[in-house]
Amino acid sequence: MSQKSGRLLKIYALLKQKPVTIDSLKQWALKNNIAISERTFYRDLQTLEEAVLTEGEQIIVTTGEKNKKTWKIEFHGDDRLTEFDITSYLLFQKFLPLPLVQSRAASLERIREIFYKTYSKSRFEDFAAYSTRQLFSTGFGQFTGEESYSKTLEDMIWSIRNHREIELLKTQFDITSISQSVHFPLTFFPLKLIYHRGVVHLGGYTKNGKKLLILAMSQIKTYRLSNSSFNCAPLLKDFETEMQNRFGITENQDENIYDIELEFSEMLGSFVKNDFWHPTQKFKQKKNGNITMKMHCGINRELVGWIFMWMTNVRVVKPQLLKDLVLDKYREVLNDYETDKPLVSNNSFRAK
């Protein structure tokens, strides 16, 4: 197979997964070490437009902002939804984060109507009726939303999609231990929406200093959109590296990465080892039945809080720094109860 034929097949495979633009193809080529010009990409896409695709497929080209073209494959056929397919959609709809359900109720209803009209022969309406009785979300611990939530979310999506800077003018509270060196207002490069612990967050980098910053959508009070663009490709690579160095999404209290070891009681450890907590996690059962967990990441408020969640069923083995932090927090809690002193905001994990 020629180099061009192989490249065309790869682009065709991408088109079957999602729409593409010249910018997205450039990023794909960079990631896969494919060195070709923008002009070549245009020629490849033209070739695919004129090619005979699989029956029921057609390449559609749309032109958006600043004449930016998007290529996608439209499928025409008589595919029927199975019971499994319908249940998958209903699970997705019912178990969305509460603020998304509230802010997008009208859109979700329109999608339901489209499914009903298009796939009525698949008994969609029967399963939809069942879902109201069978599926239930508690919404426990989730942000209840504000009227501005939907608009803020749409604006963030637009900025990410179009690689546009955002002026973050004012935020409230602190969910992710934002470093003391970060001051608002600031110019921000938005990269991703992050779903974590039932909350949608915005992740990206500050323009000055290129510091990774993650904010819950509910934290963003006032902002200003911008038409100033930025190059997201190198930032995305840094983002993936930095996120792997965190436990969860909270900022680390220092720049060091530690070999962390925890010991869980046998019963709890048997539960914890079946869930995903960090990409580097490794579990091993000891002779006494207890479970050890090893990770390679930074230390942050989220890690210490997570350890606290398991109460007396977990013990820090190493490093000593993490052990000391947990012990210090236990002593602080005990002192608060013994002295009954007024509670004050205290985030001792914020980096400088």
Side-chain angles (χ1 to χ4, degrees):
M1 181 184 295
S2 70
Q3 186 177 28
K4 178 180 178 180
S5 297
R7 189 174 66 246
L8 286 170
L9 284 174
K10 290 178 180 177
I11 295 175
Y12 172 61
L14 283 175
L15 279 166
K16 295 192 75 171
Q17 299 174 33
K18 60 184 179 181
V20 303
T21 64
I22 292 298
D23 287 341
S24 67
L25 284 175
K26 284 181 179 179
Q27 293 173 24
W28 166 76
L30 182 65
K31 188 175 182 179
N32 291 277
N33 297 317
I34 299 174
I36 61 173
S37 67
E38 182 174 313
R39 186 182 297 274
T40 301
F41 274 132
Y42 275 110
R43 285 199 294 264
D44 286 349
L45 290 165
Q46 182 67 33
T47 299
L48 287 173
E49 284 181 58
E50 298 169 352
V52 178
L53 304 180
T54 302
E55 184 177 356
E57 294 180 353
Q58 179 183 4
I59 293 184
I60 303 296
V61 185
T62 57
T63 303
E65 183 183 357
K66 295 185 178 179
N67 293 321
K68 182 181 289 186
K69 290 186 175 182
T70 300
W71 288 261
K72 70 173 183 176
I73 292 180
E74 285 192 354
F75 301 90
H76 306 282
D78 190 29
D79 295 334
R80 302 291 173 84
L81 292 177
T82 66
E83 179 179 343
F84 185 85
D85 296 330
I86 296 170
T87 303
S88 297
Y89 165 75
L90 295 171
L91 286 168
F92 166 75
Q93 181 187 30
K94 288 292 182 181
F95 296 157
L96 277 172
L98 185 60
L100 293 185
V101 173
Q102 293 174 333
S103 64
R104 294 175 176 267
S107 293
L108 291 171
E109 179 59 23
R110 282 197 294 272
I111 293 172
R112 190 199 67 79
E113 290 176 356
I114 290 171
F115 269 108
Y116 172 66
K117 293 175 182 177
T118 308
Y119 296 107
S120 58
K121 294 181 180 179
S122 302
R123 296 181 61 213
F124 177 83
E125 66 277 21
D126 294 338
F127 291 108
Y130 297 154
S131 74
T132 61
R133 299 191 297 268
Q134 297 172 338
L135 306 177
F136 173 71
S137 172
T138 65
F140 182 81
Q142 294 192 32
F143 178 62
T144 55
E146 298 174 349
E147 290 184 5
S148 61
Y149 187 94
S150 181
K151 183 180 185 307
T152 301
L153 181 61
E154 287 305 309
D155 286 342
M156 299 305 114
I157 292 173
W158 178 87
S159 297
I160 293 171
R161 181 183 298 131
N162 295 287
H163 315 311
R164 296 293 194 272
E165 299 177 1
I166 301 174
E167 297 294 327
L168 294 178
L169 304 176
K170 185 178 180 181
T171 62
Q172 60 181 352
F173 43 86
D174 181 10
I175 293 178
T176 54
S177 290
I178 300 171
S179 170
Q180 299 177 52
S181 64
V182 175
H183 301 283
F184 297 91
L186 57 80
T187 303
F188 186 68
F189 296 154
L191 293 178
K192 289 180 180 288
L193 289 180
I194 305 165
Y195 179 62
H196 182 64
R197 291 188 168 186
V199 178
V200 179
H201 297 76
L202 176 68
Y205 284 84
T206 59
K207 183 175 183 178
N208 295 329
K210 299 294 193 304
K211 184 175 183 60
L212 177 60
L213 184 63
I214 297 175
L215 295 167
M217 294 296 298
S218 56
Q219 285 181 256
I220 303 172
K221 292 296 292 181
T222 55
Y223 58 91
R224 185 183 299 119
L225 299 182
S226 166
N227 280 321
S228 299
S229 60
F230 65 94
N231 181 14
C232 70
L235 296 177
L236 285 169
K237 187 175 182 180
D238 292 341
F239 180 89
E240 292 177 4
T241 300
E242 290 198 49
M243 287 302 293
Q244 180 155 319
N245 289 337
R246 296 186 180 191
F247 183 85
I249 63 173
T250 305
E251 184 171 348
N252 293 336
Q253 69 167 21
D254 58 42
E255 296 182 354
N256 297 320
I257 305 300
Y258 299 89
D259 289 320
I260 293 169
E261 183 176 344
L262 309 173
E263 180 178 345
F264 290 93
S265 63
E266 182 176 4
M267 185 175 293
L268 180 64
S270 298
F271 160 74
V272 171
K273 71 177 183 179
N274 291 319
D275 291 349
F276 173 82
W277 305 104
H278 191 267
T280 63
Q281 67 186 38
K282 292 182 179 179
F283 294 93
K284 185 177 181 179
Q285 189 161 26
K286 301 178 66 174
K287 290 182 179 180
N288 64 2
N290 288 352
I291 306 292
T292 60
M293 176 185 188
K294 293 184 179 181
M295 298 180 290
H296 190 66
C297 61
I299 294 175
N300 56 23
R301 184 176 69 187
E302 196 164 358
L303 175 58
V304 175
W306 183 75
I307 292 171
F308 263 70
M309 182 173 71
W310 307 119
M311 296 185 284
T312 59
N313 289 292
V314 63
R315 178 185 295 123
V316 177
V317 179
K318 65 177 184 179
Q320 187 63 42
L321 172 63
L322 179 58
K323 185 183 295 187
D324 291 341
L325 282 171
V326 172
L327 286 172
D328 287 344
K329 284 301 169 186
Y330 273 120
R331 294 187 184 105
E332 285 183 31
V333 171
L334 182 61
N335 185 59
D336 282 345
Y337 277 95
E338 290 178 340
T339 61
D340 198 27
K341 64 181 181 180
L343 293 176
V344 295
S345 298
N346 176 17
N347 184 2
S348 55
F349 297 96
R350 289 181 66 190
K352 296 181 179 179

